[in-house]
Amino acid sequence: MLSAKQYKSGVKPIWCPGCGHFAVLNAITKAFAALEQAPEDAVLVSGIGCSSRLPAYINSYGFHGVHGRALPVAAGLKVARPDLNVIAMGGDGDGFSIGGNHFLHASRRNVDIVYIVMDNEVYGMTKGQASPTTPASWEHSKLTPHGPEVRPFQPCAIALASGASFIARGYSGDPNGLAHMLFEAVQHPGFAFIQVLSQCPTFCPEQKQWKETVHLEEVCTDDPVKAAAFLHGDDGLSKGIFYRQPRPTWPVEHPDTQPTNLRKSFEI
């Protein structure tokens, strides 16, 4: 058994002071300690961005991929090595912009992985541009001085419509609650999506108000209709596990199908 602190690597995080990602890192280590996770049996897969640096800070295997491609790498790894605990992670730009198509299909395939998106509603690493989840009226970027004027992406609602079988939203200001949420997600058999409201005080100082406005909602259901009604009326600042419905994971095992040796089939 390891303590939460022992799951941290010797690499020091280089996030900005006050960044919510520090709390996500702590939540992951706390969840691993509660799960008694063997470091060699866990793999963290990320894309590009501030949040995608996180695998380097955890004492486990990690894969830092290219922009938006964390989910196909994670899904392929889990299919090849179902014995591993695979967690994909990234930010709102990485996951919902260039990686948006992968998000939809990972949800519907229901591969048994966890996907954590640290959503700060901004492109932080490239200095504060509007992201897919940026409010339409946000005016703090020189590229969009009148705000992006586009309806923001609704991650949890889209995950539900795409077929994700576990949907939750956490808050970096509540690392213990987030650790419990991650503990539940890892044990869920299927694609578990967690949107984390992770503040970026450097480019979005107004997000410091989340501490006063984020609220807990006890609405967990296995009924997609009830979940959809809640999510489409939600203010985006609620936290909790919203939807959980175990269903067969992909790939489905067929006992009557004989395995084939792919390597031999390509031999000349």
Side-chain angles (χ1 to χ4, degrees), residues 52-232:
S52 292
R53 301 178 186 274
L54 198 149
Y57 309 143
I58 297 285
N59 179 24
S60 71
Y61 287 111
F63 188 99
H64 196 141
V66 296
H67 203 181
R69 306 299 188 252
L71 282 174
V73 172
L77 176 59
K78 183 65 179 183
V79 170
R81 288 289 306 275
D83 56 304
L84 297 176
N85 177 14
V86 180
I87 299 176
M89 58 187 58
D92 40 298
D94 182 73
F96 306 140
S97 183
I98 191 170
N101 190 52
H102 293 302
F103 177 52
L104 301 181
H105 295 290
S107 295
R108 75 182 185 90
R109 289 191 182 103
N110 201 39
V111 177
D112 187 18
I113 61 176
V114 176
Y115 185 35
I116 303 171
V117 175
M118 286 157 265
D119 187 357
N120 53 22
E121 301 179 352
V122 71
Y123 281 102
M125 195 169 73
T126 50
K127 310 309 179 192
Q129 299 83 9
S131 83
T133 56
T134 301
S137 59
W138 189 70
E139 300 177 350
H140 298 285
S141 171
K142 293 180 180 179
L143 292 179
T144 52
H146 303 292
E149 300 180 323
V150 178
R151 185 177 186 272
F153 196 86
Q154 304 296 318
C156 291
I158 292 174
L160 178 67
S162 302
S165 56
F166 180 105
I167 300 170
R169 184 186 295 126
Y171 171 46
S172 61
D174 177 21
N176 289 333
L178 185 56
H180 174 73
M181 190 176 291
L182 181 58
F183 180 89
E184 295 289 324
V186 169
Q187 297 187 98
H188 173 78
F191 183 77
F193 170 62
I194 302 177
Q195 177 192 10
V196 181
L197 299 174
S198 184
Q199 67 182 27
C200 177
T202 299
F203 296 108
C204 303
E206 68 277 7
Q207 291 175 352
K208 294 178 183 178
Q209 299 175 6
W210 281 352
K211 185 176 181 179
E212 308 298 329
T213 55
V214 170
H215 51 94
L216 177 65
E217 293 288 347
E218 301 284 357
V219 295
C220 187
T221 178
D222 61 359
D223 184 341
V225 176
K226 291 181 180 179
F230 168 77
L231 291 171
H232 285 293

Side-chain angles (χ1 to χ4, degrees), residues 39-62:
E40 65 272 18
D41 292 335
V43 184
L44 277 63
V45 181
S46 67
I48 296 296
C50 298
S51 55
S52 292
R53 301 178 186 274
L54 198 149
Y57 309 143
I58 297 285
N59 179 24
S60 71
Y61 287 111

